[in-house]
Amino acid sequence: EEQLVESGGGLVKPGGSLRLSCAASGFTFSRSSMNWVRQAPGKGLEWVSVISSTGSYIYYADSVKGRFIISRDNAQNSLYLQMNSLRVEDTAVYYCARAGPAAIRGSGYFDYWGHGILVTVSS
Amino acid sequence: DIQMTQSPSSLSASVGDRVTITCRASQGISNSLAWYQQAPGKHPKLLISAASTLQSGVPSRFSGSGSGTDFALTITSLQPEDVATYYCQKYNSAPLTFGGGTKVEIK
């Protein structure tokens, strides 16, 4: 069974840093593009970043560009999101999501989702 | 960047009603459009890809249509378990933008 499990969330002060992890199992992680999606409390879904299967293609939403870094370790079946210079408006549940089998170069719909992890940025 | 506009933002309908949600892209995206269902307190679930391809296990009362800039998600006979927020998403290229969501409730 395909599974994505996020970890590393919590409370951080504005300007601080946090690193999220996503552990994948039940599918061939090394062949899958992976994404981070977030949802602020009571708000809609916001795509954050994508990394292709080999890491050759990486894209970010304008709202996080220059502050967040997506990376992956295919040997460990893990996806990461390094979040720096955090702002109050980054408070959200962060989901890890797999792009479907036809995804190339950072495209693709999301067929598997994790349950999400809460990041709270507050003083 | 391409913007995705959903309407309505919320709706209330009776069990058995036909419900239609629309999604408009600010530029053509061919059929690179997905629909997701997010039940309260849950993670999103993929319903439809390629504008009209129903995912395995999704009830046949759900259907998708459209191409280019105008798309629709239709529930032919609304059921209590369909209470959720529905999102469209363009996925042809980054940014992989979502629509604002449509909250569906039972009257």
Side-chain angles (χ1 to χ4, degrees), chain A residues 4-41:
Chain A
L4 295 168
V5 180
E6 301 92 343
S7 61
L11 175 64
V12 62
K13 289 182 167 51
S17 297
L18 209 56
R19 188 194 197 207
L20 302 183
S21 299
C22 172
S25 60
F27 64 95
T28 307
F29 180 78
S30 61
R31 295 183 186 173
S32 301
S33 289
M34 297 298 298
N35 293 264
W36 288 100
V37 177
R38 69 184 181 182
Q39 186 168 35

Side-chain angles (χ1 to χ4, degrees), chain B residues 6-11 21-22 35 84-87 100-104:
Chain B
Q6 272 184 249
S7 61
S9 57
S10 65
L11 65 89
I21 299 166
T22 64
W35 289 98
T85 301
Y86 295 82
Y87 296 91
T102 297
K103 186 174 184 179
V104 174

Side-chain angles (χ1 to χ4, degrees), chain A residues 3-4 12-13 21 35 43 48 61 64 71 74 91 98 112:
Chain A
Q3 197 169 15
L4 295 168
V12 62
K13 289 182 167 51
S21 299
N35 293 264
K43 302 297 184 181
V48 172
V64 306
S71 63
N74 285 345
T91 295
R98 188 191 91 145
Y112 305 145

Side-chain angles (χ1 to χ4, degrees), chain A residues 44-73:
Chain A
L45 301 173
E46 180 187 14
W47 171 78
V48 172
S49 182
V50 60
I51 184 168
S52 61
S53 59
T54 62
S56 298
Y57 296 92
I58 289 175
Y59 300 98
Y60 297 97
D62 286 346
S63 57
V64 306
K65 202 173 295 182
R67 300 188 298 123
F68 289 12
I69 300 171
I70 192 171
S71 63
R72 64 189 298 158
D73 183 338

